[in-house]
Amino acid sequence: MSTAAPSPALQLPGLMESLAPPPELGSPAELRFAEVALFVPLGRSYSFAVPEPLAASAVTGARVICGLRGRRILGVILAVRDGDPGIAREKLKPILAVVDAEPVVPIELLSFLVELASYYLAPIGEVLRLAVPAVERTRARALKQDGLTPSGLSAVGRSLSHVIARSPADQALLEGKLRGQARELWEHLRSQQSARLPDLLQRWGNARAAVKKLEALGLVATEQRSEVDGQFFSGAIARDVPPQLNEAQARAVAAIEEQLAAGTGASFLLHGVTASGKTEVYLRAVQAALDRGGSALILVPEIALTPQLVGRFRARLGDTIAVLHSGLSQSQRHAMWTLLYSGERRVAVGARSALFAPLRELRLICVDEEQDHSFKQEEGVRYNARDMALLRAQRAGAVCVLGSATPSIKSFHALSTQKLTRLRLPERAHRAAALPRAELVDLRRIGPGRPGERLLSLPLCRALEQVLERKEQAILFLNRRGFAPSVVCETCGEILGCPSCEVPLTYHVNPRPHVICHYCDYRDPVPERCAKCSADTLSFEGIGTERIESALTSAFPGARVGRLDRDTGPGLKSAKVLAQMQAGELDILVGTQMVTKGHDLPRVSLVGVLNADAGLSMPDFQASERTFQLLVQVAGRAGRAGTPGHVLIQTKNPEHPAIALAVTHDVAGFVEQELAERRALGYPPYSRLAMVRVSSLDEQVARSAARELAEIARRRAGSTVEVLGPSPAPIARLRSQYRFRLLVRARTRAPLRHVLIGIQEARLDRRVRMVVDVDPVSML
């Protein structure tokens, strides 16, 4: 708790006029006070007196309006207590108003948020922003001027009429009665299964009358759906029939159901090879949680995977789920949030931000592809949704299931310390679908299959020819977008760099030739001459996905080639490209790591990894782990539906363990070797790690601040904490900011936290920005 004045506070326009005078406090013996987290970036809660008129409504989890230094600020009550707050009574300001008739943050979720803020040393107000939609945070503006009357949650949003096609037994007879526009509309609905009435009216002016006729004949039904449902659940979807589980799946489901029935919580690692049927296990577990009156949360690492998973869950559970991810607008996110808060929907599916869904009676959390580093938030509150899913499940007494074909090193370590229980799926769900045959292509000895394209080796080109002859599909993986990673002057050797970042500019040809910085998004036309020597000898060095796409189009004129990277399929747009693959409209898909994650593409029989060595040179102790996981995951896209799969991994370093063991799908062998190296070097999971990043527009200011923080850290460290650095970051300048970093490492959490708190309390030059990243994922 603190009475220190916040800075700067969140101001809510209009509240100054609407607030009534502060309510009277009770007698000293009846003093009640509340700890309130304000929606401001300060790492502390504040104490406010609870006036007698508000005593019944000022409860834990409720939003309140508080006055602080002349400002009216929105906050959430963390706790209410009676007695002495430890602050002079005259200094204790009263809560001015309670916004809600009931708490806006469930107690279970609020308790979890407080612990998350403590673990990551994050401001509690900023953490609460993750859980409360902006629509709800700012709705205090709507408080009535005559009394600040508490009100319920905002409305979910406008409803839209949807028309759904039906299939009555006498359908053919009824169709014979249709003429003109009614028949056209029926043909459209029969092919689309359902449609929004406004869309039908836009195409057929008399659609309303035609729909009434179809409804009278029993060919269609109409229902009201929220606007969000119209966007995310448009089109009817056929309900699936649960397949028969194999023995391993049945054992996994039984173990999860046993813990759900016990109600005491448990944590599992669902370790299954690619295409082993992990999603089916999730579906059975969710149904078991719902049958017991609980709710469930499903987390995926990428927004791109959300539509695919939503489709599977709709087919099994119907439209009883809500979707949450950062790609939603504020109103869409608020609508989904409200449906979950009210209990109208009890299953939430989404990317990492769905972790904060206000689910009631939470009984199950499933984290798909738990090894994926996308679960780590790299801006604002730097939380890891995978780690925090375990914490939230523990706090709620729920079951947590971490699923992966290539579990993280820390998950394997957790198995050895009995923090996780392993459930194994050793075979693919379809008995006819064996793991793909993988082989190495040593680029040191084997030349290109097409002149000038060294990453299209001869074996790969021959394999592509065979796939096209068989009318199957192929995926080519290259984790570098653009046409060429750099533009170089052949006369003086100058590399065209970003003016704001210490990185080369990448050459792109689409939609027009230009260079771009992949870090700050700086863009410029391609210069005609070198800026240093004025020579007109600029060349494009390296190979990106655009160049591979162009080369494949030239090499295989009859092939339909697509590309999936951040340029063609950011966020939900990637679903369109993946739908083309699903429908057989593409023969070859070239992509970055977006193609490696969890996609079920049954026609894919060939996977080519064009440059397996790319990630091994990163300045990161996790580089080998990431490379191994990417290779095994992308290989798993091949041969998933019975067609034999073939994987070609191109490399100049075939002896490296991450590559050699990925070829044989030897997860256990890689984990054993990697854990031994981590133990010898003192890296996680055998230590606790935090990174402190310092940046400033002035290089000397940033360097001095980093040294000052290192000195503070070393004074507090003692013998149990190691401080490494400071040193320039691998990308020393980013968005015009000069960057330095230091690593703080300890065997246990407590001494590490002691040092980090000292660092956070340091008073630095105002020109300096400091970030403390607990359990860092990106070392750049």
Side-chain angles (χ1 to χ4, degrees):
M1 297 182 294
S2 175
T3 55
S7 64
L10 172 68
Q11 297 191 55
L12 299 175
L15 286 181
M16 295 292 287
E17 297 79 9
S18 68
L19 287 167
E24 293 295 326
L25 301 179
S27 65
E30 299 172 340
L31 181 62
R32 173 170 291 186
F33 67 97
E35 291 182 37
V36 179
L38 303 174
F39 286 115
V40 292
L42 296 171
R44 56 186 66 141
S45 61
Y46 288 74
S47 294
F48 290 90
V50 178
E52 184 63 30
L54 302 181
S57 56
V59 297
T60 301
R63 289 175 302 167
V64 292
I65 304 296
C66 301
L68 208 61
R69 289 195 173 183
R71 298 183 176 95
R72 267 59 175 179
I73 306 172
L74 189 64
V76 173
I77 295 179
L78 301 179
V80 179
R81 297 187 175 92
D82 292 311
D84 181 11
I87 301 171
R89 180 181 176 82
E90 60 272 14
K91 292 184 178 180
L92 196 65
K93 297 184 178 182
I95 291 174
L96 299 177
V98 177
V99 177
D100 304 295
E102 58 180 306
V104 73
V105 183
I107 300 301
E108 170 269 320
L109 177 57
L110 185 63
S111 173
F112 162 67
L113 294 172
V114 170
E115 192 159 349
L116 183 148
S118 174
Y119 182 84
Y120 289 107
L121 300 174
I124 181 60
E126 293 299 287
V127 172
L128 280 165
R129 285 178 181 272
L130 301 172
V132 182
V135 173
E136 288 295 337
R137 293 201 305 268
T138 59
R139 198 174 59 86
R141 300 175 188 175
L143 289 173
K144 295 182 179 179
Q145 301 220 1
D146 59 353
L148 296 166
T149 306
S151 55
L153 297 175
S154 304
V156 172
R158 64 193 183 104
S159 294
L160 296 175
S161 293
H162 279 247
V163 185
I164 300 98
R166 301 175 65 182
S167 300
D170 53 349
Q171 178 176 323
L173 178 64
L174 295 171
E175 286 178 349
K177 301 180 179 181
L178 298 178
R179 298 286 185 277
Q181 195 172 93
R183 186 166 190 86
E184 287 181 28
L185 194 143
W186 165 244
E187 295 291 345
H188 173 76
L189 285 170
R190 190 171 60 175
S191 65
Q192 299 297 317
Q193 296 298 311
S194 72
R196 303 189 322 162
L197 183 57
D199 294 339
L200 297 177
L201 287 168
Q202 190 172 9
R203 184 170 176 180
W204 292 282
N206 198 32
R208 198 179 299 276
V211 167
K212 286 184 178 180
K213 181 174 182 179
L214 293 173
E215 193 170 16
L217 291 171
L219 289 170
V220 303
T222 59
E223 65 179 43
Q224 294 293 116
R225 294 181 183 175
S226 74
E227 189 173 7
V228 169
D229 280 345
Q231 178 172 356
F232 294 97
F233 299 87
S234 59
I237 188 167
R239 298 296 289 267
D240 72 351
V241 177
Q244 183 175 352
L245 301 177
N246 60 34
E247 292 183 7
Q249 287 176 310
R251 285 195 298 268
V253 171
I256 296 169
E257 288 183 343
E258 181 180 356
Q259 292 302 319
L260 286 171
T264 54
S267 299
F268 292 103
L269 174 63
L270 182 62
H271 180 195
V273 299
T274 54
S276 58
K278 292 184 286 294
T279 302
E280 184 60 36
V281 174
Y282 301 151
L283 285 165
R284 302 292 179 104
V286 168
Q287 187 63 65
L290 296 177
D291 290 344
R292 289 169 173 79
S295 60
L297 170 62
I298 313 298
L299 296 178
V300 294
E302 293 276 0
I303 295 175
L305 295 175
T306 307
Q308 175 182 313
L309 202 62
V310 167
R312 290 287 305 273
F313 273 77
R314 285 185 67 203
R316 183 66 56 84
L317 304 174
D319 292 343
T320 60
I321 63 178
V323 180
L324 289 171
H325 55 68
S326 59
L328 303 181
S329 68
Q330 290 293 353
S331 60
Q332 292 166 347
R333 187 173 183 82
H334 175 249
M336 288 295 185
W337 183 90
T338 307
L339 289 169
L340 291 167
Y341 179 88
S342 66
E344 185 176 338
R345 300 198 180 175
R346 294 188 291 150
V347 181
V349 179
R352 60 175 176 258
S353 60
L355 173 69
F356 307 106
L359 290 157
R360 304 301 181 104
E361 300 296 327
L362 181 61
R363 290 292 174 264
L364 176 71
I365 302 179
C366 297
V367 184
D368 194 29
E369 307 292 352
E370 65 89 18
Q371 83 291 342
D372 200 292
H373 292 180
S374 298
F375 282 119
K376 175 75 172 186
Q377 172 72 26
E378 295 292 354
E379 296 291 337
V381 179
R382 287 166 166 76
Y383 68 94
N384 189 316
R386 176 264 183 203
D387 298 346
M388 291 299 102
L390 289 166
L391 176 62
R392 186 173 182 188
Q394 181 186 49
R395 300 283 308 195
V399 174
C400 187
V401 181
L402 307 180
S404 179
T406 55
S408 61
I409 292 296
K410 59 185 175 184
S411 287
F412 277 106
H413 183 255
L415 290 174
S416 66
T417 57
Q418 299 183 339
K419 293 180 180 178
L420 291 176
T421 300
R422 178 153 58 175
L423 306 173
R424 301 202 62 176
L425 303 179
E427 299 177 350
R428 288 191 155 182
H430 299 284
R431 295 187 180 277
L435 286 174
R437 173 175 57 90
E439 60 181 293
L440 292 175
V441 177
D442 190 343
L443 294 179
R444 299 171 301 183
R445 299 186 298 103
I446 300 175
R450 292 293 184 272
E453 298 298 341
R454 58 184 176 83
L455 291 187
L456 294 180
S457 67
L458 182 60
L460 179 59
C461 287
R462 287 177 175 172
L464 285 170
E465 290 171 355
Q466 294 169 4
V467 165
L468 294 172
E469 287 176 4
R470 296 193 299 265
K471 299 190 181 305
E472 296 167 355
Q473 293 176 316
I475 288 177
L476 300 186
F477 167 55
L478 177 63
N479 210 17
R480 191 178 293 274
R481 61 191 177 104
F483 191 89
S486 59
V487 181
V488 181
C489 176
E490 294 183 353
T491 300
C492 69
E494 179 75 3
I495 298 175
L496 188 62
C498 174
S500 301
C501 307
E502 205 165 280
V503 295
L505 291 171
T506 301
Y507 173 58
H508 287 246
V509 296
N510 292 315
R512 61 187 182 281
H514 65 288
V515 288
I516 182 174
C517 175
H518 288 167
Y519 290 90
C520 73
D521 206 37
Y522 168 84
R523 297 166 186 259
D524 206 30
V526 181
E528 296 181 358
R529 293 181 176 274
C530 173
K532 183 177 181 181
C533 71
S534 300
D536 59 353
T537 55
L538 296 178
S539 65
F540 307 116
E541 298 293 326
I543 300 174
T545 50
E546 277 190 5
R547 180 169 172 177
I548 293 298
E549 179 187 27
S550 175
L552 289 169
T553 302
S554 300
F556 305 100
R560 298 166 296 175
V561 181
R563 178 163 52 91
L564 182 60
D565 53 30
R566 257 186 222 175
D567 300 314
T568 61
L572 291 172
K573 291 183 180 179
S574 60
K576 181 178 180 181
V577 180
L578 293 170
Q580 289 179 296
M581 281 291 283
Q582 286 275 9
E585 297 171 5
L586 295 175
D587 300 311
I588 304 173
L589 179 62
V590 182
T592 56
Q593 63 180 3
M594 294 175 71
V595 303
T596 71
K597 300 181 179 181
H599 308 301
D600 189 12
L601 303 169
R603 294 183 178 88
V604 173
S605 61
L606 174 67
V607 166
V609 179
L610 303 188
N611 184 10
D613 313 323
L616 294 174
S617 59
M618 298 294 288
D620 188 342
F621 71 92
Q622 305 159 104
S624 292
E625 178 185 5
R626 294 183 183 182
T627 297
F628 177 82
Q629 290 167 344
L630 275 174
L631 295 179
V632 174
Q633 288 286 344
V634 73
R637 301 313 106 203
R640 296 173 70 92
T643 303
H646 186 198
V647 182
L648 290 172
I649 299 177
Q650 298 183 162
T651 175
K652 291 182 178 179
N653 194 3
E655 298 84 11
H656 194 285
I659 295 174
L661 294 171
V663 171
T664 58
H665 306 276
D666 189 356
V667 175
F670 174 78
V671 168
E672 181 181 2
Q673 183 164 326
E674 185 69 11
L675 281 173
E677 291 186 4
R678 300 271 185 96
R679 185 186 295 111
L681 296 172
Y683 277 114
Y686 298 102
S687 66
R688 298 283 187 150
L689 192 67
M691 180 179 289
V692 181
R693 297 183 179 93
V694 176
S695 60
S696 174
L697 292 171
D698 188 309
E699 183 177 9
Q700 186 56 44
V701 169
R703 180 182 287 108
S704 297
R707 288 173 177 168
E708 180 183 346
L709 292 176
E711 291 175 5
I712 292 172
R714 290 190 172 97
R715 284 199 299 268
R716 295 176 67 100
S719 60
T720 58
V721 180
E722 184 179 9
V723 181
L724 305 175
S727 62
I731 301 178
R733 190 164 61 97
L734 192 65
R735 300 180 184 91
S736 299
Q737 297 274 335
Y738 291 92
R739 308 164 71 238
F740 292 82
R741 65 177 188 171
L742 60 143
L743 287 173
V744 187
R745 180 167 61 183
R747 291 190 63 84
T748 57
R749 179 186 171 193
L752 178 69
R753 179 180 175 81
H754 174 70
V755 172
L756 295 179
I757 289 175
I759 289 174
Q760 278 199 325
E761 292 174 347
R763 294 183 177 274
L764 300 176
D765 189 307
R766 291 184 178 181
R767 294 171 290 175
V768 172
R769 180 174 184 251
M770 179 186 67
V771 171
V772 176
D773 189 357
V774 178
D775 301 334
V777 166
S778 172
M779 307 302 288
L780 296 179

mmCIF file of all heavy atoms in Angstrom, residues 28 30 68 206 255 588 637 704:
data_model
loop_
_atom_site.group_PDB
_atom_site.id
_atom_site.type_symbol
_atom_site.label_atom_id
_atom_site.label_comp_id
_atom_site.label_asym_id
_atom_site.label_seq_id
_atom_site.Cartn_x
_atom_site.Cartn_y
_atom_site.Cartn_z
ATOM 1 N N PRO A 28 -14.752 6.765 13.843
ATOM 2 C CA PRO A 28 -13.422 6.144 13.866
ATOM 3 C C PRO A 28 -13.459 4.654 14.141
ATOM 4 O O PRO A 28 -12.698 3.887 13.586
ATOM 5 C CB PRO A 28 -12.705 6.918 14.970
ATOM 6 C CG PRO A 28 -13.393 8.252 14.994
ATOM 7 C CD PRO A 28 -14.808 7.968 14.670
ATOM 8 N N GLU A 30 -15.637 2.625 13.261
ATOM 9 C CA GLU A 30 -16.220 1.886 12.141
ATOM 10 C C GLU A 30 -15.414 2.045 10.862
ATOM 11 O O GLU A 30 -15.884 1.700 9.793
ATOM 12 C CB GLU A 30 -17.651 2.404 11.886
ATOM 13 C CG GLU A 30 -18.583 2.211 13.078
ATOM 14 C CD GLU A 30 -19.907 2.905 12.867
ATOM 15 O OE1 GLU A 30 -19.961 3.815 12.019
ATOM 16 O OE2 GLU A 30 -20.877 2.542 13.530
ATOM 17 N N LEU A 68 -7.380 11.608 -6.506
ATOM 18 C CA LEU A 68 -5.963 11.652 -6.144
ATOM 19 C C LEU A 68 -5.327 12.861 -6.811
ATOM 20 O O LEU A 68 -5.301 12.953 -8.039
ATOM 21 C CB LEU A 68 -5.272 10.358 -6.603
ATOM 22 C CG LEU A 68 -4.052 9.916 -5.796
ATOM 23 C CD1 LEU A 68 -4.439 9.653 -4.351
ATOM 24 C CD2 LEU A 68 -3.457 8.663 -6.411
ATOM 25 N N ASN A 206 -35.465 -7.539 -52.031
ATOM 26 C CA ASN A 206 -36.695 -8.088 -51.444
ATOM 27 C C ASN A 206 -36.395 -9.330 -50.597
ATOM 28 O O ASN A 206 -37.240 -10.213 -50.457
ATOM 29 C CB ASN A 206 -37.681 -8.439 -52.566
ATOM 30 C CG ASN A 206 -39.099 -8.581 -52.048
ATOM 31 O OD1 ASN A 206 -39.481 -7.897 -51.103
ATOM 32 N ND2 ASN A 206 -39.867 -9.479 -52.654
ATOM 33 N N ALA A 255 -6.936 -40.102 -17.559
ATOM 34 C CA ALA A 255 -6.132 -39.458 -16.507
ATOM 35 C C ALA A 255 -6.617 -38.044 -16.233
ATOM 36 O O ALA A 255 -6.696 -37.613 -15.071
ATOM 37 C CB ALA A 255 -4.663 -39.452 -16.912
ATOM 38 N N ILE A 588 2.299 -25.702 -53.937
ATOM 39 C CA ILE A 588 3.496 -25.488 -53.121
ATOM 40 C C ILE A 588 3.275 -24.248 -52.264
ATOM 41 O O ILE A 588 2.870 -23.200 -52.771
ATOM 42 C CB ILE A 588 4.756 -25.285 -53.992
ATOM 43 C CG1 ILE A 588 4.947 -26.460 -54.948
ATOM 44 C CG2 ILE A 588 5.994 -25.117 -53.115
ATOM 45 C CD1 ILE A 588 6.077 -26.242 -55.959
ATOM 46 N N ARG A 637 4.306 -31.636 -40.652
ATOM 47 C CA ARG A 637 3.222 -31.274 -41.564
ATOM 48 C C ARG A 637 3.064 -32.284 -42.680
ATOM 49 O O ARG A 637 2.064 -32.258 -43.402
ATOM 50 C CB ARG A 637 3.474 -29.899 -42.206
ATOM 51 C CG ARG A 637 3.626 -28.703 -41.283
ATOM 52 C CD ARG A 637 2.579 -28.635 -40.219
ATOM 53 N NE ARG A 637 3.154 -29.013 -38.924
ATOM 54 C CZ ARG A 637 2.465 -29.468 -37.904
ATOM 55 N NH1 ARG A 637 1.176 -29.635 -37.991
ATOM 56 N NH2 ARG A 637 3.074 -29.783 -36.777
ATOM 57 N N SER A 704 25.903 4.984 -19.379
ATOM 58 C CA SER A 704 26.099 5.356 -17.982
ATOM 59 C C SER A 704 25.007 4.763 -17.095
ATOM 60 O O SER A 704 25.281 4.289 -15.985
ATOM 61 C CB SER A 704 26.112 6.883 -17.848
ATOM 62 O OG SER A 704 27.195 7.440 -18.562
#
